[in-house]
Amino acid sequence: MEKQLEELKQTFSEELLLLHSPDDIEPMRVKYLGRKGALTSILRLMGSLDPKDRPRMGSLSNALKVYMEEALADKLEGLRRGSVFKGIDVTLPGRAPSKGCVHIINQVVSELEEIFLSLGFNIASGPEVEDDYHNFEALNIPEHHPARDMQDTFYFSNDVLLRTHTSPVQIRVMEKSGLPVRIIAPGKVYRCDSDVSHTPMFHQIEGLWVEKGITFRHLKGVLYEFIHTLFGHDIPLRLRPSFFPFTEPSAEVDMGCIICKGKGCRVCKNSGWLEILGCGMVDPEVYTYVDIDPGSVTGFAFGLGVERVAMLKYGIDDIRMFFDNDLRFLRQFS
Ligand code: PHE
């Protein structure tokens, strides 16, 4: 009889799990606990038991009866609340998983990459932890240059540092792949600097095109096309002479201030112009570091700050906003 009680408990529990409506509870109760129910029929056998076994069987079957009654009541309550699980109300509205989005800086990087890919450039990359040779020496940056100062560069040791610009990728690409080279290299760069327009880490995109017959006109054509695609074809542009140790001649490209349309404002410091990138023809001296005969090719290089482009494009006046991780700011670009 004990075995029968156990089997009955088992089938009862399994059957209970399958009920899905409060209306199923009463028929189930009748089936097990009713006058002709399964438990009742087992209890009828009590009389045939050895009298000394009767008390134990009596209390076992009573416990099963209580168990069944409670289980049925619980189940009924659960089904009435619309829940099959104790303690979980599945009728409550769900919490939607929150969706992330691509960081605004990465969105701008992708947009800039698209433009250069369409102009025939490939994408290259290099390490953020650089050596002095690639970051400075091979780029013709002399020993006394202020960029080499501890105050501007994060050093790990005398020779190892966080790259201060993406220009070392120029050297790495020319060392490795044969000519011609037509690459852009987007990435993080680091300088010991912090205020409204400087953060210790920011992003640059380097560009390098080295091939027989490349002239300053190619430089101007590519860079003007790039800026016009980005900011619109009616934006005025100008090339202003400048200096970089690894380009000769060097220039900076200015575009008419998009905030005041050239009238003069705080952003353009009343000049009507905004500096957007640095560029120049690769200094022949640089070729000698990468075993290219300086007489055999010419090329141009440029470097631009991604945050600066993003600030101008979206009218953001504090570069630190990009890295504060304030979701109220970041979500505006999702
Ligand atoms: N590397 C320079 C900088 O960080 C930018 C640059 C790159 C200028 C390539 C000329 C050519 O300021």
Side-chain angles (χ1 to χ4, degrees), residues 164-167 170 191 204 206-207 244 246-247 251 278-280 301-304:
T164 57
H165 51 177
T166 40
S167 300
Q170 289 187 34
R191 290 181 200 176
Q204 284 190 333
E206 192 77 12
F244 299 102
F246 38 92
T247 48
C279 59
F302 59 90
L304 68 95

